[in-house]
């Protein structure tokens, strides 16, 4: 069982930055691949970024590539999402997920656990 808690969301002007954190309970954090997803108002959930067990490999949606960076600190049981050059279209509820399997990181069905989410609002 893994309990995930996101933090770091808020209101920011376009062009600004935010750093999201996702803290995980338990002692097996390093055995999970992690991902960030977001759900804009009135839209479907979409993949943002994913990272493998030790952080050697990262994956990004085209819409955030070059602006967002996913990282993890297994000693702190935490995964991060650094978001720079934010745009109004980045406004969404951001949630982190953990997967113990080998499923496609961009597929939300591959994830076993989810956090409650944190709101990110980017004003123009």
């Amino acid at each position: 069982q893994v309990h995930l808690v996101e933090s770091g969301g808020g209101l920011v002007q376009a062009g600004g930055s935010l750093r999201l954190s996702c803290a995980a309970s338990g002692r097996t954090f390093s055995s999970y691949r992690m991902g960030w997803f977001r759900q804009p108002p009135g839209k479907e959930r979409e993949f943002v970024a994913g990272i493998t067990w030790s952080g050697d490999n990262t994956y990004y949606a085209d819409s955030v590539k070059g602006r967002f960076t996913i990282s993890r600190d297994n000693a702190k049981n935490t995964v991060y999402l650094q978001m720079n050059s934010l745009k109004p279209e980045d406004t969404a509820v951001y949630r982190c997920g953990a997967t113990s399997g080998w499923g496609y990181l961009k597929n939300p069905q591959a994830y076993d656990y989810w956090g409650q989410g944190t709101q990110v609002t980017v004003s123009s």
Side-chain angles (χ1 to χ4, degrees), residues 8-120:
L11 174 64
V12 63
Q13 288 188 331
S17 298
L18 284 174
R19 188 195 195 201
L20 305 184
S21 298
C22 172
S25 65
R27 294 176 289 179
T28 60
F29 178 70
S30 60
S31 66
Y32 291 88
R33 294 182 299 157
M34 302 295 294
W36 284 97
F37 286 72
R38 67 186 182 187
Q39 187 163 14
K43 295 185 178 180
E44 296 293 316
R45 179 172 47 182
E46 60 186 30
F47 171 79
V48 176
I51 190 166
T52 52
W53 302 269
S54 60
D56 288 347
N57 294 294
T58 57
Y59 307 88
Y60 297 93
D62 288 342
S63 59
V64 307
K65 204 170 292 184
R67 300 188 298 123
F68 290 11
T69 302
I70 187 172
S71 62
R72 68 189 295 163
D73 185 339
N74 287 342
K76 295 183 178 180
N77 283 10
T78 302
V79 62
Y80 304 97
L81 185 68
Q82 177 67 45
M83 306 187 295
N84 299 329
S85 303
L86 282 161
K87 305 175 181 180
E89 51 264 43
D90 294 319
T91 295
V93 174
Y94 284 71
R95 299 177 71 187
C96 65
T99 174
S100 61
W102 293 86
Y104 190 41
L105 274 177
K106 296 182 179 181
N107 180 4
Q109 302 301 319
Y111 290 77
D112 304 299
Y113 304 102
W114 293 95
Q116 291 299 308
T118 186
Q119 176 70 47
V120 171

